[in-house]
Amino acid sequence: MLEVRDLRVSYGAAPAVRGVSFTLGPGSTLGVAGESGCGKSTMALSLLRLLPATARITGEVLFKGENLLTARWSRLRAVRWSAASVVFQGAMSALNPVRTVGDQLSEPILLHDRTTPKQARQRAADLMESVGLPPERLRAYPHEFSGGQRQRIMIAMALACRPDLIIADEPTTALDVMVQAQVMDLLARLVRESGSAVIMISHDLSVLARLCDTLAIMYGGRIVEHGPARDLLTDPRHPYTRALAGAFPAIGDPASRRNPTGLPGDPPRAIGDGCAFAPRCPDAGDACRTGEVLLRPSGPARSAACVRVPEPRDVRVPEGEIHA
C-alpha cells in the first residue's frame, strides 16, 4: 500500500532525512523510534507533504501506486484524511480552540464523504462513543477536555473517513503513564477493527512493542536497524538500538534502576563520512569512519547499518530496502 523510495528531506543545507526506504502493507504496523532530532517526525510528515515550504523533499512516496510527492495539490487534498490521516503530537495545539469538537469531527466527513450535515453529526457521535467519550459532549470545546480526552478526539478525527493509512506522531508524549496505556490500547483496538495500516512514532520502545509488528530505528536521518519488534527489543544488533533499549530501567530490577545505561553525547549536528553514530559508538573502528554504512541483512526479516554485524549466509535482501 505504501512504498517509500530514497526519501530525502533537507532544510536549506541541513539534511534531516537521508535516503529512507521502506514498504508498508495493508493492516501492518510500523514503529519508528529514535532520539529527538533524528528525523522521525520530518520523515513521517513528509509522506503527506505536511512540512513547511522551506523543506526540500526528493525521492518517491508511492501510496497505492501514486507518487504523492509529485501529485497536484487538489489530488493531495483528496488523499489527506480520506485515504491517509495523521494523529498529531500535542492535541491541544492540533485542535482549533474556538470550534466545538463536534464541528471539527464533522468537517472531514462533510468534505470527503459528501454526506448531509445530519449524517456527519451522527458519524461524529459514533466516533466519540468509539473512543470512550459521551456523544453529548460534541458541543464542548477542546479546553473542556483533559489531555487524554483530547488525544482520544484526535484519534477519532484521524479515523473519521476510515483511512487506509494512519500516521501517529508521538500521540502519547504529553500524557501520564495511565492515560498513555489507555490511549495506546484504544488505538490498537480501533486499528484492528478498521484494518488500517499504521506508522507509529515514539521515543518509548515499550510503547511501540505493544502496538507494532515491526520497528525501524532512526539515527542521523537514516534507518539504522529494522526488524520484528520483539526481536529488536530482546536482541538488538545495532549499537544505537542497544543503547536505546538499555536507557529504560526495568521496574523491579534494583541493578537496572540504580545504574541505568545511557548514551553520552548528542545527535550529530553535521554528518560527514562514515557512520553517523561512530562518534558516540563504543565499538567504532576505522572501518566505521570511512565510506557510507548502509543497511545490510542481519537475520531473517532483519537489517542493520553496522559494519560489525555479520551478514547471514542464508539471507539476501536488496541494499537499503525494508518491509513491514
Side-chain angles (χ1 to χ4, degrees), residues 26-315:
S28 300
T29 52
L30 172 65
V32 183
E35 290 174 285
S36 295
C38 71
K40 305 185 303 297
S41 295
T42 293
M43 180 275 293
L45 297 180
S46 68
L47 302 181
L48 296 178
R49 286 161 61 183
L50 294 171
L51 295 175
T54 55
R56 181 174 180 269
I57 310 173
T58 61
E60 291 182 302
V61 177
L62 302 177
F63 181 62
K64 298 181 178 180
E66 180 180 11
N67 188 1
L68 298 183
L69 297 187
T70 58
R72 294 184 177 181
W73 283 108
S74 57
R75 175 58 186 157
L76 196 59
R77 285 194 296 268
V79 170
R80 292 172 177 171
W81 291 120
S82 61
S85 62
V86 181
V87 181
F88 290 100
Q89 179 180 358
M92 194 58 193
S93 58
L95 294 171
N96 190 330
V98 299
R99 299 184 61 198
T100 65
V101 297
D103 288 341
Q104 296 182 67
L105 283 170
S106 300
E107 182 178 20
I109 302 170
L110 288 169
L111 287 174
H112 294 285
D113 288 355
R114 298 181 180 179
T115 61
T116 65
K118 182 178 180 180
Q119 291 172 326
R121 200 74 176 179
Q122 181 57 51
R123 170 69 176 154
D126 293 340
L127 287 167
M128 286 283 282
E129 193 169 7
S130 71
V131 296
L133 296 175
E136 299 79 29
R137 301 198 65 188
L138 284 173
R139 295 182 180 274
Y141 289 86
H143 71 271
E144 299 179 75
F145 294 87
S146 69
Q149 290 172 331
R150 288 194 295 265
Q151 200 63 60
R152 292 179 181 218
I153 293 169
M154 280 299 305
I155 293 173
M157 191 178 297
L159 294 167
C161 297
R162 303 176 180 87
D164 296 315
L165 172 66
I166 299 173
I167 301 171
D169 184 14
E170 301 187 35
T172 61
T173 298
L175 306 179
D176 64 70
V177 291
M178 295 297 291
V179 176
Q180 175 178 283
Q182 295 171 4
V183 170
M184 292 304 299
D185 289 341
L186 169 67
L187 183 58
R189 176 177 62 81
L190 294 176
V191 165
R192 286 195 303 269
E193 293 174 354
S194 65
S196 301
V198 176
I199 298 176
M200 168 68 76
I201 300 170
S202 177
H203 295 283
D204 194 333
L205 292 178
S206 61
V207 167
L208 295 178
R210 292 183 57 188
L211 179 65
C212 301
D213 304 321
T214 56
L215 291 183
I217 308 300
M218 289 192 68
Y219 186 85
R222 282 185 170 170
I223 294 176
V224 296
E225 186 166 6
H226 173 271
R230 185 174 297 274
D231 292 347
L232 257 70
L233 289 179
T234 58
D235 183 25
R237 303 289 171 83
H238 195 280
Y240 181 61
T241 309
R242 290 199 297 269
L244 284 181
F248 293 92
I251 296 176
D253 181 5
S256 173
R257 185 178 70 252
R258 295 169 184 167
N259 298 287
T261 57
L263 185 64
D266 298 306
R269 294 179 178 269
I271 299 173
D273 295 334
C275 176
F277 186 61
R280 304 172 70 190
C281 181
D283 302 323
D286 292 340
C288 305
R289 298 182 173 90
T290 57
E292 285 192 301
V293 181
L294 302 176
L295 285 169
R296 59 171 62 188
S298 60
R302 298 189 62 176
S303 55
C306 181
V307 297
R308 294 184 178 276
V309 174
E311 184 173 335
R313 296 181 179 180
D314 58 341
V315 179

